[in-house]
Amino acid sequence: MRLTAEMWVAAYMRRAETEGAAAYLRRRGAAQGGSVALKILRTGLPPHEPAATALARVSSLDGGIAWSWLVGPEPALEREVDAKLERQAAFDPDLWLVEIEDREGRRFLDDPILG
């Protein structure tokens, strides 16, 4: 049995916060089967505009969970990442969006990242 999107998001946010990052729910999707996107914002960097990346949860070839870059893997300007995530949300009304702010840019994922 797979976790619902709502339960996965709650557990993920708790994990990130336990590790010292800030986690914010930016968009609530469908509780049962909604898709999940993550925005990872690296804080504490000298540039004037923060750098961010974004990932989307996908199914792996073996039926498990994997992640695919929406923006990345190299950090981009935060406004570019936000624009991509807005387009994704317009396309997918069931989308959950979690934003992580972390000085090291950690992702807190155990599942593989494709590409």
Side-chain angles (χ1 to χ4, degrees), residues 29-70:
Q32 295 298 316
S35 55
V36 179
L38 305 176
K39 175 183 170 184
I40 311 297
L41 182 64
R42 187 167 181 182
T43 59
L45 295 174
H48 293 85
E49 186 161 355
T53 58
L55 297 134
R57 187 171 71 172
V58 297
S59 293
S60 65
L61 293 176
D62 64 3
I65 293 175
W67 293 87
S68 177
W69 293 106
L70 287 173

Side-chain angles (χ1 to χ4, degrees), residues 3 8-24 36-43 53 55 57 65-67 69 98-113:
L3 289 175
W8 188 92
V9 165
Y12 176 77
M13 291 177 66
R14 184 164 308 153
R15 177 180 180 183
E17 290 169 344
T18 299
E19 296 288 332
Y24 304 97
V36 179
L38 305 176
K39 175 183 170 184
I40 311 297
L41 182 64
R42 187 167 181 182
T43 59
T53 58
L55 297 134
R57 187 171 71 172
I65 293 175
W67 293 87
W69 293 106
V98 177
E99 181 175 323
I100 300 296
E101 292 182 4
D102 183 64
R103 292 185 66 81
E104 299 171 40
R106 296 174 291 172
R107 294 182 290 270
F108 307 104
L109 296 170
D110 295 326
D111 305 308
I113 298 174

